[in-house]
Amino acid sequence: MTNIVNEMKEKGWDKVAKVYAKDRQAGSIHHKYYNDPALLSLIGDVKAKKILDAGCGEGILARELVKRRASVIGVDLSEKLISIAKMEELKNPLRIN
């Protein structure tokens, strides 16, 4: 299993983490107008809920869920995307783990 995880990290999200995060933070049209609204609509009211954001990436959805009064833990395979999420949490703390 470790080999699969390492290969995915090397060939996957860690390789494009900075570009992906920059696109997300700039308000990528795909996410801003399609993906995120659809997902948030499906999730519904999250007030006082505990949510695991599996595949949280740079943490934009986790941050939105906290703003909607959820308690959120974010996890991701990409150490680089987690680092970007942690930096954003340091700059603008919302108590996301």
Side-chain angles (χ1 to χ4, degrees):
M1 185 63 128
T2 302
N3 289 339
I4 293 169
V5 170
N6 288 336
E7 185 175 340
M8 288 173 66
K9 285 171 48 178
E10 289 171 14
K11 293 182 179 176
W13 289 106
D14 273 352
K15 193 171 187 176
V16 298
K18 288 181 183 178
V19 173
Y20 176 76
K22 186 176 180 180
D23 182 57
R24 285 288 275 143
Q25 292 165 346
S28 117
I29 291 172
H30 167 75
H31 287 95
K32 186 175 183 177
Y33 295 105
Y34 300 104
N35 195 46
D36 294 354
L39 183 59
L40 292 168
S41 174
L42 287 170
I43 293 171
D45 183 17
V46 296
K47 186 177 181 180
K49 303 272 180 158
K50 294 180 181 179
I51 297 175
L52 171 64
D53 186 355
C56 69
E58 76 304 315
I60 285 180
L61 282 174
R63 299 182 71 71
E64 179 61 32
L65 292 168
V66 167
K67 290 175 185 173
R68 294 175 183 219
R69 315 278 314 226
S71 172
V72 179
I73 295 174
V75 297
D76 201 285
L77 181 62
S78 170
E79 293 171 17
K80 290 184 180 179
L81 284 170
I82 289 292
S83 292
I84 293 167
K86 286 180 177 180
M87 286 189 300
E88 186 60 33
E89 179 64 18
L90 287 173
K91 288 191 293 187
N92 301 299
L94 292 176
R95 297 186 357 209
I96 299 171
N97 293 313

